[in-house]
Amino acid sequence: MSQVLDLPHPYLLFLGDTTEKGYAKTAFGLRDWARGRCVGEWSCAGATVTTDLPRLTPKEARARGARALVIGVANTGGVISESWIPSLVEALESGLDLISGMHAKLGNVPQLKAAAERLGRRLIDVRTPPKDIPIATGDKRSGKRLLTVGTDCAVGKKYTALALANAFSRRGLDADFRATGQTGILIAGGGIPMDAVVADFEAGAAEVLSPDAPAQHWDVIEGQGSLFHPAYAGVSLGLLHGSQPDVIVVCHEPNRKNLLGHEAYSLPDVAETIDMNLRLGRRTNSAIRCAGVSLDTSRFDADAAARLLAAESARLGMPVADPIRAGAAFERLVDSCLA
């Protein structure tokens, strides 16, 4: 029942007027995991974030083969800013379809709807869940499941799940990445946008996303939000219960002290995050365990990152790695997941 999408590509990535890198995670996710489908980036005046892809106007991108502009922003509330609309209309007039993962729907913006109808262009919203999602049963399903969880939003849950799914496949295991957010869905070509599912059906959607499978098959499920988040804890709990993970990996950005966009709230400790996820996860899988921790060390140089990973591993008594740096620490994390 999880949706499979046929999206027009290559893409031009639109960064809006974003000044905080964490809010451009869709653009960065596509750059890092679907680079062959991206021809460049474009943004409004005032934007300071860049993916370092070629900066192209929609007309230039169309000349290079682009077929769609993807809104690469995941802002608070998933809104389409008024200041973006002239740029989005320009993309339509340049021959590009629009793809959005925002909560706000493209067709509900009068200027975009009118321009698309006039030009024969498509408005594609990927943050639309499938119909007829059932209520969760809580019944145990066959196969193996891993869920990435986090101390906050935008701390590497998607990147970690993709890296682990790829690592499992390299080891000859049958593994699938299961996308639960707009960026993951754009990368994988399918999935369920969990934060767009009605709350009563959240766990049921997670059950649908990772159905019964052969005993040795792994579903590596992209986590969402954080159990400690004042706004998004609900989606995290529904996903945890419905996924029934055998294994969790906790994701964290060590430089971050407060929740992104909710600075009045401090981040929980990694050990506290492990404990909370295990305690709540036992409701639907009594055998749930934490295999290790994924840290985003992109703001550290190689030596400092290695020292941090080693220190945290010793403190927590489990593998700690940065999947993007790979190496021996990451292989230990993979070993622990499969143990």
Side-chain angles (χ1 to χ4, degrees):
M1 188 185 294
S2 62
Q3 60 185 355
V4 177
L5 303 175
D6 181 19
L7 299 172
H9 58 82
Y11 306 135
L12 175 64
L13 304 180
F14 181 62
L15 295 162
D17 48 8
T18 307
T19 58
E20 166 56 58
K21 184 176 179 181
Y23 290 133
K25 62 182 183 179
T26 296
F28 284 100
L30 287 167
R31 181 202 66 180
D32 293 341
W33 297 97
R35 177 64 183 85
R37 282 180 260 158
C38 304
V39 300
E41 69 172 37
W42 193 43
S43 58
C44 301
T48 58
V49 173
T50 177
T51 63
D52 295 321
L53 293 174
R55 182 171 176 82
L56 304 172
T57 66
K59 186 175 181 179
E60 291 168 338
R62 187 70 185 92
R64 295 194 187 190
R67 295 178 58 204
L69 179 142
V70 174
I71 296 178
V73 180
N75 58 24
T76 301
V79 299
I80 296 173
S81 172
E82 283 286 333
S83 64
W84 300 353
I85 292 175
S87 298
L88 299 180
V89 170
E90 182 179 345
L92 291 169
E93 291 175 339
S94 298
L96 300 178
D97 295 334
L98 298 184
I99 301 174
S100 171
M102 313 298 277
H103 281 299
K105 303 307 180 191
L106 293 167
N108 290 340
V109 180
Q111 301 97 312
L112 300 182
K113 182 179 180 181
E117 290 175 349
R118 171 171 55 87
L119 298 164
R121 303 256 59 87
R122 296 171 65 194
L123 302 178
I124 304 167
D125 294 295
V126 302
R127 210 172 194 161
T128 303
K131 299 181 185 299
D132 301 322
I133 294 172
I135 295 289
T137 66
D139 294 341
K140 180 66 177 175
R141 305 190 299 286
S142 58
K144 299 176 183 294
R145 287 167 189 82
L146 183 151
L147 175 68
T148 55
V149 300
T151 56
D152 191 12
C153 304
V155 288
K157 294 182 289 290
K158 173 177 64 269
Y159 278 51
T160 300
L162 284 161
L164 288 170
N166 289 347
F168 289 4
S169 296
R170 286 196 301 271
R171 293 192 180 195
L173 300 173
D174 184 17
D176 286 310
F177 167 72
R178 300 297 187 186
T180 62
Q182 71 271 25
T183 310
I185 290 169
L186 286 166
I187 293 168
I192 296 179
M194 301 300 290
D195 62 2
V197 174
V198 173
D200 276 359
F201 301 91
E202 187 77 32
E207 290 185 354
V208 167
L209 187 69
S210 56
D212 281 313
Q216 298 306 310
H217 174 85
W218 280 92
D219 275 340
V220 183
I221 303 161
E222 174 194 9
Q224 291 295 323
S226 168
L227 291 175
F228 296 85
H229 201 288
Y232 307 133
V235 66
S236 306
L237 182 60
L239 186 52
L240 178 64
H241 282 164
S243 295
Q244 300 177 1
D246 302 288
V247 174
I248 61 168
V249 172
V250 172
C251 304
H252 177 62
E253 183 184 327
N255 276 19
R256 194 180 302 180
K257 304 302 181 184
N258 303 92
L259 295 181
L260 184 64
H262 291 73
E263 281 72 20
Y265 291 86
S266 59
L267 252 67
D269 181 71
V270 171
E272 183 183 8
T273 304
I274 294 170
D275 177 66
M276 180 67 79
N277 278 275
L278 292 181
R279 285 195 289 124
L280 294 175
R282 290 189 188 107
R283 170 53 58 181
T284 55
N285 187 347
S286 61
I288 187 174
R289 66 184 179 88
C290 181
V293 174
S294 170
L295 293 185
D296 176 357
T297 64
S298 58
R299 301 190 185 191
F300 294 78
D301 64 32
D303 290 341
R307 290 193 298 271
L308 175 64
L309 296 176
E312 283 296 277
S313 181
R315 180 177 76 90
L316 296 167
M318 62 181 63
V320 177
D322 184 335
I324 303 306
R325 292 185 186 273
F330 180 62
E331 294 305 316
R332 287 192 291 272
L333 177 59
V334 175
D335 290 340
S336 180
C337 292
L338 299 175

